[in-house]
Short mmCIF file of all heavy atoms in Angstrom, two decimals:
data_model
loop_
_atom_site.label_atom_id
_atom_site.label_comp_id
_atom_site.label_asym_id
_atom_site.label_seq_id
_atom_site.Cartn_x
_atom_site.Cartn_y
_atom_site.Cartn_z
N LEU B 200 -31.23 3.18 45.24
CA LEU B 200 -31.89 2.20 44.38
C LEU B 200 -33.36 2.06 44.73
O LEU B 200 -34.22 1.92 43.86
CB LEU B 200 -31.19 0.85 44.48
CG LEU B 200 -29.85 0.76 43.75
CD1 LEU B 200 -29.18 -0.59 44.00
CD2 LEU B 200 -30.03 0.98 42.25
N GLU B 201 -33.63 2.13 46.03
CA GLU B 201 -35.02 2.05 46.48
C GLU B 201 -35.84 3.20 45.88
O GLU B 201 -36.93 3.00 45.33
CB GLU B 201 -35.03 2.17 48.01
CG GLU B 201 -36.10 1.35 48.70
CD GLU B 201 -35.85 1.36 50.20
OE1 GLU B 201 -34.97 0.61 50.67
OE2 GLU B 201 -36.52 2.16 50.87
N THR B 202 -35.26 4.40 45.97
CA THR B 202 -35.93 5.57 45.40
C THR B 202 -36.12 5.39 43.90
O THR B 202 -37.18 5.69 43.34
CB THR B 202 -35.09 6.83 45.63
OG1 THR B 202 -34.69 6.84 46.99
CG2 THR B 202 -35.87 8.07 45.29
N LEU B 203 -35.06 4.86 43.28
CA LEU B 203 -35.12 4.65 41.84
C LEU B 203 -36.28 3.72 41.50
O LEU B 203 -37.07 3.96 40.59
CB LEU B 203 -33.79 4.05 41.37
CG LEU B 203 -33.57 3.95 39.87
CD1 LEU B 203 -33.63 5.33 39.24
CD2 LEU B 203 -32.22 3.30 39.57
N TRP B 204 -36.39 2.67 42.27
CA TRP B 204 -37.46 1.69 42.06
C TRP B 204 -38.83 2.35 42.21
O TRP B 204 -39.75 2.14 41.42
CB TRP B 204 -37.29 0.52 43.03
CG TRP B 204 -38.32 -0.57 42.88
CD1 TRP B 204 -39.19 -1.00 43.83
CD2 TRP B 204 -38.57 -1.35 41.71
NE1 TRP B 204 -39.99 -2.00 43.33
CE2 TRP B 204 -39.63 -2.23 42.02
CE3 TRP B 204 -38.03 -1.38 40.43
CZ2 TRP B 204 -40.14 -3.14 41.11
CZ3 TRP B 204 -38.54 -2.29 39.52
CH2 TRP B 204 -39.58 -3.15 39.85
N GLU B 205 -38.93 3.21 43.23
CA GLU B 205 -40.19 3.92 43.47
C GLU B 205 -40.60 4.78 42.28
O GLU B 205 -41.74 4.72 41.82
CB GLU B 205 -40.07 4.83 44.70
CG GLU B 205 -40.45 4.15 45.99
CD GLU B 205 -39.99 4.96 47.19
OE1 GLU B 205 -39.92 6.22 47.08
OE2 GLU B 205 -39.68 4.35 48.23
N ILE B 206 -39.63 5.57 41.77
CA ILE B 206 -40.01 6.47 40.66
C ILE B 206 -40.23 5.69 39.37
O ILE B 206 -40.96 6.13 38.49
CB ILE B 206 -39.00 7.62 40.44
CG1 ILE B 206 -37.58 7.09 40.28
CG2 ILE B 206 -39.07 8.64 41.56
CD1 ILE B 206 -36.58 8.17 39.87
N ILE B 207 -39.61 4.52 39.27
CA ILE B 207 -39.90 3.69 38.10
C ILE B 207 -41.35 3.21 38.18
O ILE B 207 -42.11 3.30 37.22
CB ILE B 207 -38.95 2.47 38.02
CG1 ILE B 207 -37.53 2.92 37.66
CG2 ILE B 207 -39.45 1.47 36.97
CD1 ILE B 207 -36.50 1.82 37.74
N GLN B 208 -41.72 2.75 39.37
CA GLN B 208 -43.08 2.20 39.52
C GLN B 208 -44.16 3.26 39.39
O GLN B 208 -45.20 3.02 38.80
CB GLN B 208 -43.18 1.51 40.87
CG GLN B 208 -42.63 0.11 40.83
CD GLN B 208 -43.03 -0.68 42.04
OE1 GLN B 208 -43.06 -0.15 43.16
NE2 GLN B 208 -43.34 -1.95 41.85
N SER B 209 -43.89 4.44 39.95
CA SER B 209 -44.93 5.48 39.91
C SER B 209 -45.04 6.13 38.53
O SER B 209 -45.95 6.90 38.28
CB SER B 209 -44.63 6.55 40.96
OG SER B 209 -43.44 7.20 40.62
N GLY B 210 -44.07 5.86 37.66
CA GLY B 210 -44.13 6.42 36.31
C GLY B 210 -43.52 7.81 36.21
O GLY B 210 -43.45 8.39 35.14
N VAL B 211 -43.05 8.34 37.34
CA VAL B 211 -42.45 9.68 37.34
C VAL B 211 -41.20 9.69 36.46
O VAL B 211 -40.99 10.60 35.65
CB VAL B 211 -42.07 10.10 38.79
CG1 VAL B 211 -41.31 11.41 38.78
CG2 VAL B 211 -43.32 10.20 39.63
N LEU B 212 -40.41 8.64 36.62
CA LEU B 212 -39.16 8.58 35.87
C LEU B 212 -39.42 8.56 34.37
O LEU B 212 -38.79 9.28 33.60
CB LEU B 212 -38.36 7.34 36.28
CG LEU B 212 -37.02 7.20 35.57
CD1 LEU B 212 -36.07 8.29 35.99
CD2 LEU B 212 -36.40 5.83 35.83
N LEU B 213 -40.37 7.72 33.97
CA LEU B 213 -40.67 7.58 32.56
C LEU B 213 -41.08 8.91 31.95
O LEU B 213 -40.60 9.32 30.89
CB LEU B 213 -41.79 6.54 32.37
CG LEU B 213 -42.07 6.19 30.91
CD1 LEU B 213 -40.91 5.40 30.33
CD2 LEU B 213 -43.37 5.41 30.79
N GLU B 214 -41.93 9.61 32.72
CA GLU B 214 -42.43 10.91 32.26
C GLU B 214 -41.28 11.88 32.00
O GLU B 214 -41.18 12.51 30.95
CB GLU B 214 -43.36 11.45 33.35
CG GLU B 214 -44.13 12.68 32.99
CD GLU B 214 -44.83 13.18 34.24
OE1 GLU B 214 -45.50 12.37 34.94
OE2 GLU B 214 -44.67 14.38 34.53
#
Side-chain angles (χ1 to χ4, degrees):
Chain B
L200 285 176
E201 214 170 281
T202 313
L203 189 60
W204 182 240
E205 270 166 30
I206 53 172
I207 289 172
Q208 277 194 321
S209 65
V211 174
L212 181 67
L213 187 70
E214 188 188 311

